[in-house]
Structures are given as structure tokens and as C-alpha cells.
Amino acid sequence: SETSPSIRREYIKVIGILGAVDPHRLKMLDMGQRAGVSLPGAVLQADAKARSRVQEEALPTASSEEYYPSVAITQLMKILKDQSLSSHHMMVIQAVLFIFRTLGLKCVSLLPQIVPPLLNLVKTSQQGLRDFMFQQLSIFVAIVKQHIRPYLPQIFELVHEFWSQPALQPQILTFIEEITIALKDEFKAFIPDLVPKLLGILNLSFGRRSPITCLKVLRVLG
């Protein structure tokens, strides 16, 4: 089914705020050139740059259902990769989750654009944002399900790297739980390294939620 008008309006808002390419302007430029209409030099120069950006990012055509989320995600990822804009990173992650919640598996083709920057942000962010990131990654896996499979090695590198931080363990355990639900038997390759950690955490007393989550993970593992 086609994207609803309200969702399209939200994408257009994001695109406008972030300064993305105006597809209508590019279309008018093409029509003008084909008709032999002379355009001002400044307009030609600006639109040539815009055309180059479109080609570099290999966006779908404007008529494609993937066009609006592709443009929005491309611009959001640019902000996410820019450490000077770190104050906006939490809002960017929320915007990405909104797009995926709205379109679900229709956005799977965008995962190569999204997952590496998200995982890198977990590594480089401050503790408060890192806690938030693990929470959002759990939601993300619940949406994309088995399509998270190609990124499991990098994901579990992060799990092992930050496992020793008690404040993060509740979020990490919930994250693992979502992965086990999404992948089921395919998750078995990661069990040998995880089980000692899961069993060890049962002896800790930093709160009720983490042991309960740990037991849920063990049940999913069978």
C-alpha cells in the first residue's frame, strides 16, 4: 500500500529542516533544459551541486515508496556521523525509529546505511547516550527481526565490550532477548561466549529487572 499523506508530510518536514534536495526543483531543471530554456547561472550552479548529491547518494526515484525515507535517512545519518552535532544525536535516533516503526520491513533496504553508524555511536558516545542507544537498538531489532543477522558479529563485539558495566547490563540483556526472539536457532553460534556471562549475572544483586531478563533470555535459548 502507498505511504499515507500524513507520513509523507512528516518526511517532507524532515527533508526541509535538514536541507535535503528538492526533487521538484531538479525536475523543473530537467524540463527547462530539454525545452531549451535558459536558466540563471546561480540556479544552474546550485542545481548542478544538488544533482551531484542525488547521484552520489543513489536515491530511489521520487515516485518510489522508498524515496522519502531514503532521503530522510541519508540526511539523518550525516548528522549522526558529525560529532559537532552530538547534541542532536538523540533526536536523530528517535527520528530513525519513527521511520522504521511507520514503514516496518519496507525499510530493510536501508539497513546498510543505518546499522553501522548506530553501532559506531554506541562505541563513541557518552554513558547516558550509550544507555539510551542499547534501549533503542532493542526496539530496532524487534522491528527488523531476522534482517539484523548480517550485523551480529559487530553487535556482539559491543555486548562483550560493555558487559562489565553494571549500569548497562539491564539494557544489554533486553537487547540480547530481542535478538534471540528474532533469530531463534541461528543465535546458537553466540551461546558459548554468552552463557557464562548470563549465569554469572544471576549472582549479582543490582536490581530485580536484570536477573528476570536474564532468565527470560535463558528460556529463549532453551
Side-chain angles (χ1 to χ4, degrees):
S1 61
E2 294 186 357
T3 307
S4 71
S6 62
I7 295 171
R8 287 184 182 274
R9 282 196 296 272
E10 289 300 320
Y11 291 146
I12 291 168
K13 279 186 200 173
V14 173
I15 293 166
I17 292 168
L18 298 176
V21 178
D22 183 350
H24 177 70
R25 192 177 185 189
L26 290 179
K27 184 176 179 180
M28 293 303 294
L29 175 64
D30 287 335
M31 292 173 63
Q33 288 176 336
R34 284 198 295 269
V37 176
S38 177
L39 297 174
V43 173
L44 286 171
Q45 184 177 7
D47 282 312
K49 291 180 181 178
R51 185 188 301 278
S52 174
R53 286 168 58 192
V54 171
Q55 291 172 344
E56 288 175 4
E57 293 162 4
L59 296 172
T61 60
S63 61
S64 168
E65 190 174 8
E66 295 180 357
Y67 179 81
Y68 291 99
S70 295
V71 173
I73 289 292
T74 297
Q75 300 305 317
L76 289 168
M77 290 302 103
K78 287 180 180 178
I79 296 174
L80 204 62
K81 293 174 183 177
D82 189 340
Q83 287 301 315
S84 68
L85 299 174
S86 59
S87 61
H88 302 293
H89 286 174
M90 188 174 290
M91 292 179 64
V92 167
I93 295 161
Q94 291 172 332
V96 170
L97 263 291
F98 169 78
I99 292 172
F100 269 78
R101 278 198 189 102
T102 303
L103 294 183
L105 296 181
K106 294 177 183 177
C107 278
V108 164
S109 62
L110 301 175
L111 288 178
Q113 270 185 275
I114 296 168
V115 177
L118 289 181
L119 297 181
N120 184 63
L121 188 61
V122 175
K123 278 190 172 185
T124 60
S125 61
Q126 298 296 320
Q127 181 69 20
L129 182 58
R130 187 175 293 129
D131 183 279
F132 173 77
M133 285 295 302
F134 275 114
Q135 293 177 30
Q136 299 307 300
L137 284 171
S138 299
I139 298 169
F140 192 72
V141 170
I143 295 169
V144 303
K145 305 183 187 304
Q146 73 273 16
H147 298 284
I148 199 67
R149 186 188 301 110
Y151 308 98
L152 288 181
Q154 299 96 308
I155 284 172
F156 282 101
E157 280 182 18
L158 291 178
V159 167
H160 292 300
E161 181 175 349
F162 295 107
W163 185 269
S164 61
Q165 298 184 22
L168 292 176
Q169 285 176 349
Q171 286 71 39
I172 292 175
L173 286 167
T174 301
F175 185 33
I176 294 171
E177 181 185 356
E178 290 296 341
I179 295 172
T180 61
I181 292 169
L183 296 178
K184 297 181 172 62
D185 289 346
E186 296 180 58
F187 184 73
K188 288 181 179 178
F190 299 93
I191 292 176
D193 291 334
L194 283 175
V195 167
K197 290 180 169 64
L198 292 169
L199 293 175
I201 205 172
L202 290 173
N203 296 320
L204 300 177
S205 57
F206 59 82
R208 296 177 60 186
R209 181 184 172 189
S210 294
I212 291 171
T213 305
C214 186
L215 287 171
K216 287 169 67 177
V217 172
L218 292 174
R219 283 201 298 270
V220 171
L221 294 176

